[in-house]
Amino acid sequence: MLVLAFDTATPAVTAALHDGERVLAESTTIDARRHGELLAPTIELVLGEAGASPRDVTAIVAGSGPGPYTGLRVGLMTAQGLATTLGVPAYGICTLDAVAYGSGLTGPFLVATDARRKEVFWARYSDLRTRLDGPFVDRPADVPVEGLPVVGAGAQLYADLLGGGGDAPPYPYAGALAALAAERLAQGIPLDPPRPIYLRRPDAVAPGAPKRVTA
């Protein structure tokens, strides 16, 4: 097994390679505006550091969001293109699941990431592997925290409402995404196809028909 995983659903452009037992290489750059520029070089970097070639990869995993439309589609389109080129399966894993797995928490908690527009994407977990509810998009004040710890960049951004995120990683680092995917594949747990999780319409929309001009 050699899993190539990456995520572009948050400001973290992150990629990692996992051999079924450990992360062989991982690289992350925080830049919300350069997903398209950074992802391919990041993938090349982790393959080089691991001494692997693209043809060694047996599965590709991309974070499927939720996240801003433009960044999210970069990772998913890359996953689909690479899978077709290499003849290997491609899968999608909820980006919030990767944040949860990377948190290391064993009790109930919430994950919240920045959804812009003064909102967060969030989901509820019973432990680092098990999502109970979500994902949703809401204003921070409307997230039902109910005394649970909240992790992720959204918790840090709205610390007064969501608690600050503690010491858990704020982003879905690809090492956690790859490890979660490798674990599920080894256990025979079906993974979803690499399809985006959109919780609202994209900011950019096609213009409507021109208005009729009358004299």
Side-chain angles (χ1 to χ4, degrees):
M1 179 187 297
L2 196 62
V3 177
L4 173 62
F6 43 84
D7 194 295
T8 57
T10 76
V13 181
T14 179
L17 204 62
H18 197 289
D19 68 356
E21 296 182 359
R22 63 187 180 91
V23 174
L24 301 178
E26 180 177 11
S27 180
T28 300
T29 302
I30 310 300
D31 191 329
R33 298 181 180 275
R34 299 175 61 213
H35 296 94
E37 294 177 48
L38 294 172
L39 181 57
T42 303
I43 291 172
E44 291 178 5
L45 178 62
V46 298
L47 286 169
E49 288 185 353
S53 76
R55 293 293 174 184
D56 296 324
V57 173
T58 59
I60 295 170
V61 178
S64 54
Y69 176 80
T70 302
L72 178 57
R73 68 178 182 174
V74 169
L76 291 170
M77 291 176 65
T78 299
Q80 292 167 358
L82 283 174
T84 299
T85 300
L86 300 176
V88 299
Y91 305 103
I93 287 181
C94 176
T95 293
L96 301 182
D97 289 358
V99 178
Y101 193 82
S103 75
L105 296 177
T106 57
F109 64 98
L110 274 64
V111 171
T113 60
D114 183 17
R116 304 178 183 174
R117 305 182 193 175
K118 298 182 179 180
E119 294 179 325
V120 294
F121 298 120
W122 68 276
R124 186 190 310 274
Y125 294 80
S126 62
D127 56 50
L128 75 168
R129 293 177 175 84
T130 310
R131 175 160 33 105
L132 296 176
D133 208 8
F136 306 105
V137 59
D138 284 300
R139 292 187 176 277
D142 296 329
V143 176
V145 176
E146 299 174 354
L148 295 176
V150 187
V151 301
Q156 294 182 354
L157 185 60
Y158 301 101
D160 55 332
L161 296 170
L162 300 178
D167 297 327
Y171 296 115
Y173 293 116
L177 178 63
L180 176 59
E183 181 179 289
R184 289 178 175 175
L185 288 170
Q187 294 174 356
I189 298 173
L191 298 183
D192 294 328
R195 295 175 182 162
I197 299 172
Y198 291 139
L199 299 184
R200 61 189 182 205
R201 298 180 66 184
D203 292 330
V205 296
K211 291 184 178 180
R212 189 174 180 179
V213 178
T214 57

